[in-house]
Amino acid sequence: QVQLQESGPGLVKSSGTLSLTCSVSGGSFRDYYWDWIRRPPGKGLEWIGSIYHIGRTKYNPSLEGRVTISLDTSGNQFSLKLNSVTAADTAIYYCVRAGTGAESRNWFDPWGQGTLVTVSS
Amino acid sequence: QSGLTQPPSVSGAPGQGVTISCTGSNTNIGAGYDVHWYQQVPGTAPKLLIHGNTNRPSGVPDRFSGSKSGASASLAITGLQAEDEADYYCQTYDNSLRGSKVFGGGTRLTVL
């Protein structure tokens, strides 16, 4: 079955860029949406954005302008970049496979194990 | 801030049942979008519990059930077990602000 694994630096300096990669094994990118979600310490889950297998993206309005999600289908990976980070961006970041078909019907399954990214001053 | 409202916490004794509510608006649940539920045990990644309002993925016990009415949805858990102690989140789609996927604030279930 499909498995996802996040990778990237666990510590990023304030005002810098957070960069994470999600490696996908056991399945194809075709027809699916691929998303990033985060959970700040002591808070709930927050949707960051998604990319469709043809490269179309959509982002959380609260992060738009700072976030970019890209796809590398040949490498079976997709990536997240978040610019101008602050302490508020400290969180566990998860990559997930969302659904097929209408984006408005998407649910998230499976999830990567998550990776903690801390923004330091 | 989330457009979906959940109670911060619920609790119940082993063997009892609890219900977790998820209240939305006419731009999300009330607009007819499906609601999905996730369970996050501390220290682990979230896990899909219910999709499409009422559907349980393979492997999820039938003690978990979902429902939806109007602009609200609910997750019911019967026969509480210690392993059910976790955070629970509802999720749907919101058609405001060019459309986005949204989560509820989460509910911590404590098994007494």
Side-chain angles (χ1 to χ4, degrees):
Chain A
Q1 70 274 24
V2 174
Q3 292 185 311
L4 295 87
Q5 177 69 58
E6 305 87 352
S7 60
L11 192 63
V12 180
K13 282 199 166 184
S14 184
S15 77
T17 297
L18 179 158
S19 296
L20 295 175
T21 297
C22 182
S23 299
V24 179
S25 60
S28 168
F29 276 97
R30 186 177 175 83
D31 295 331
Y32 283 94
Y33 291 86
W34 302 88
D35 291 40
W36 288 94
I37 292 163
R38 68 182 182 181
R39 183 175 184 182
K43 296 188 178 181
L45 298 171
E46 179 182 30
W47 177 72
I48 297 171
S50 70
I51 187 164
Y52 192 41
H53 73 104
I54 55 173
R56 185 174 70 232
T57 55
K58 182 173 283 189
Y59 302 124
N60 186 322
S62 70
L63 298 171
E64 192 125 28
R66 293 203 295 136
V67 61
T68 304
I69 297 175
S70 58
L71 199 58
D72 174 8
T73 55
S74 60
N76 269 20
Q77 295 179 333
F78 64 107
S79 299
L80 169 70
K81 288 192 187 303
L82 185 64
N83 301 324
S84 305
V85 297
T86 68
D89 295 309
T90 293
I92 298 175
Y93 285 77
Y94 300 97
C95 59
V96 300
R97 188 184 70 176
T100 61
E103 183 179 20
S104 62
R105 303 196 67 193
N106 282 178
W107 60 85
F108 303 119
D109 182 59
W111 295 61
Q113 67 182 28
T115 186
L116 174 63
V117 179
T118 301
V119 177
S120 69
S121 54
Chain B
Q1 58 279 20
S2 169
L4 303 178
T5 301
Q6 298 181 233
S9 63
V10 296
S11 62
Q16 288 187 335
V18 296
T19 299
I20 298 172
S21 61
C22 175
T23 303
S25 69
N26 60 5
T27 63
N28 45 64
I29 301 176
Y33 297 113
D34 289 342
V35 178
H36 320 293
W37 291 90
Y38 303 87
Q39 177 195 58
Q40 186 170 29
V41 174
T44 69
K47 166 192 163 186
L48 178 68
L49 211 53
I50 299 286
H51 65 86
N53 306 314
T54 60
N55 302 295
R56 278 188 313 275
S58 172
V60 174
D62 60 6
R63 301 186 296 105
F64 295 90
S65 63
S67 63
K68 175 188 161 186
S69 178
S72 296
S74 295
L75 173 71
I77 310 172
T78 60
L80 279 174
Q81 301 179 2
E83 68 208 47
D84 298 333
E85 191 158 286
D87 294 322
Y88 292 83
Y89 295 90
C90 58
Q91 176 251 317
T92 188
Y93 184 84
D94 193 298
N95 63 24
S96 62
L97 294 174
R98 300 192 300 278
S100 58
K101 303 168 192 178
V102 292
F103 287 97
T107 298
R108 170 64 59 93
L109 168 62
T110 301
V111 181
L112 302 170

